[in-house]
Amino acid sequence: TLTPSASANTVDYSGAAQTVKTPTTRNYYHLVLSGSGTDVLSSVTGTAGDFTMSGTVTTTNVATFTAVGGNLNVGSGTTLHLAGFALTVTGTTIVGGTLDTATSATGTKAFNGAVTVSSGGAFTMSAMNPVVTFGAGITQSSATLMNIGTNAANTLVGDLAGSGAGGITWGGAMAVSSGTTTNNYSGTTT
């Protein structure tokens, strides 16, 4: 019997337009969506480990999917829409595809580890402007504008880095909530 939440277990949904099954434990250890089409997360509460997207899959977090206990990897060609619910990513976040807000400003989006927007990646929270917090800095390497949105409660801990031509904007105030932030980013920041 497979226990999806058991340490180091990985479940990969590699087909087209699938509904991700809700385990009796309600979460997975590592979850991979590597297919195509739109996958539905149903009542999954998140992952204790990594959440990885590859292929051309698209999904939207749901009210119960509130935590990625490891790393988040939104691969090239994939899209993760963040709906009006809180989401906390404990580990690093790598965005090679699209990470955006879909339906509401409700729910803080907390990226506790370093966030890297890779070449070709798109990180935009401006459609709904939820509270976005960064706990370990941002590296912006994309030609696409990284738009954090205009919520006055957005916070940053850590440095800015990278050389992506797209720039970084938070459309207003970004509070440095702890320590000193060094801007080593060579693009435009507003």
Side-chain angles (χ1 to χ4, degrees):
T1 301
L2 173 67
T3 304
S5 62
S7 181
N9 278 347
T10 300
V11 177
D12 184 353
Y13 287 83
S14 60
Q18 301 175 99
T19 297
V20 176
K21 302 292 184 197
T22 305
T24 55
T25 57
R26 301 196 41 96
N27 73 332
Y28 289 83
Y29 196 83
H30 297 303
L31 177 62
V32 178
L33 304 181
S34 64
S36 61
T38 301
D39 284 3
V40 178
L41 291 172
S42 61
S43 297
V44 176
T45 59
T47 65
D50 300 340
F51 178 42
T52 303
M53 297 174 64
S54 63
T56 57
V57 70
T58 296
T59 196
T60 302
N61 76 312
V62 293
T64 56
F65 195 93
T66 60
V68 175
N71 302 320
L72 171 64
N73 188 339
V74 181
S76 178
T78 68
T79 301
L80 175 57
H81 299 297
L82 300 180
F85 312 106
L87 177 67
T88 298
V89 179
T90 301
T92 61
T93 298
I94 298 173
V95 181
T98 300
L99 178 65
D100 63 18
T101 51
T103 59
S104 171
T106 304
T108 297
K109 313 315 181 211
F111 300 93
N112 295 341
V115 173
T116 299
V117 182
S118 303
S119 176
F123 183 113
T124 180
M125 300 290 121
S126 62
M128 296 295 153
N129 296 309
V131 173
V132 182
T133 64
F134 298 93
I138 299 168
T139 299
Q140 160 51 323
S141 299
S142 178
T144 303
L145 177 67
M146 181 179 184
N147 194 327
I148 297 163
T150 59
N151 196 304
N154 291 343
T155 60
L156 170 66
V157 173
D159 297 333
L160 300 177
S163 59
I168 302 172
T169 185
W170 35 82
M174 170 68 84
V176 176
S177 61
S178 175
T180 301
T181 293
T182 302
N183 185 359
N184 293 315
Y185 175 63
S186 64
T188 303
T189 56
T190 57

